[in-house]
Amino acid sequence: MGHYLLMLVSIILVNNYVLCQFLGICPFLGVSKKLDSAVGMGIAVTFVMVLATAATWPIMRVLNKFNIDYLQTIVFILVIAALVQFVETAMKKMIPSLHKSLGVYLPLITTNCAVLGVCISNIDEGYTYLESLVNSCGAGIGFLLAMIIFSGMRSKLEGNEEIPSAFQGVPITMTAAALLSLAFMGFGGLA
């Protein structure tokens, strides 16, 4: 049990996919203006990460068995794309307001390198099926945490008249993202 807890803390704080490994930056910057959109995207990405891992881990065993592991990236992308279509359809039917607020970023989960990165790193690290699921869940929670914190930061920065005009908009957003990333680098000694 302690091993899995250490994995969770490590992937959420120490090796956060967005803030430390710089994967999944597009939705991180694009959907973090509003808290509800950021939370929705974080939950959707977490869900897709866990589902993608649940599907790709056994598929990789089959690819290895037939010595066609060179197809890993293509097969993983196809699986992720199918899962994202499933999530998008379900969200459109069950939560249309969130579906609308996420807009173009929801289908972009298909090309979110964090989702593909988690699936591939689970294989590369040699994790068992359960370890892969825990790692994926932690990566998703870390993504969600980064989205929530950054959304809070952006809400404080938006419309702030104390920010010089040259820094308003994209420059202050990038500066805030860099500072948040630096803050997460401080967790480096935990795991």
Side-chain angles (χ1 to χ4, degrees), residues 81-140:
L83 290 170
V84 169
Q85 287 299 312
F86 166 73
V87 169
E88 184 178 11
T89 303
M91 192 175 286
K92 188 175 186 177
K93 188 163 186 99
M94 291 190 252
I95 316 169
S97 60
L98 180 59
H99 180 267
K100 187 175 181 177
S101 71
L102 291 177
V104 71
Y105 293 101
L106 189 57
L108 287 178
I109 293 175
T110 301
T111 58
N112 185 340
C113 54
V115 177
L116 181 61
V118 166
C119 294
I120 291 175
S121 73
N122 287 333
I123 302 300
D124 290 348
E125 294 294 325
Y127 290 148
T128 65
Y129 189 68
L130 184 58
E131 288 173 336
S132 295
L133 291 175
V134 169
N135 187 56
S136 297
C137 185

Side-chain angles (χ1 to χ4, degrees), residues 45-62:
V45 167
T46 302
F47 186 68
V48 170
M49 279 182 178
V50 173
L51 279 179
T53 295
T56 57
W57 194 91
I59 288 171
M60 191 62 200
R61 298 297 168 255
V62 173

Side-chain angles (χ1 to χ4, degrees), residues 4-80:
Y4 296 114
L5 184 61
L6 182 62
M7 279 183 77
L8 278 174
V9 169
S10 175
I11 199 67
I12 292 170
L13 298 175
V14 180
N15 296 314
N16 186 292
Y17 269 77
V18 177
L19 300 172
C20 297
Q21 297 184 33
F22 307 110
L23 296 172
I25 297 293
C26 179
F28 174 71
L29 294 173
V31 187
S32 58
K33 276 189 176 183
K34 296 180 183 173
L35 180 62
D36 58 338
S37 297
V39 170
M41 177 58 86
I43 292 170
V45 167
T46 302
F47 186 68
V48 170
M49 279 182 178
V50 173
L51 279 179
T53 295
T56 57
W57 194 91
I59 288 171
M60 191 62 200
R61 298 297 168 255
V62 173
L63 294 176
N64 285 337
K65 184 176 181 178
F66 292 107
N67 291 323
I68 53 173
D69 53 327
Y70 56 87
L71 294 174
Q72 176 190 45
T73 304
I74 294 169
V75 171
F76 283 14
I77 289 172
L78 290 172
V79 168
I80 291 166

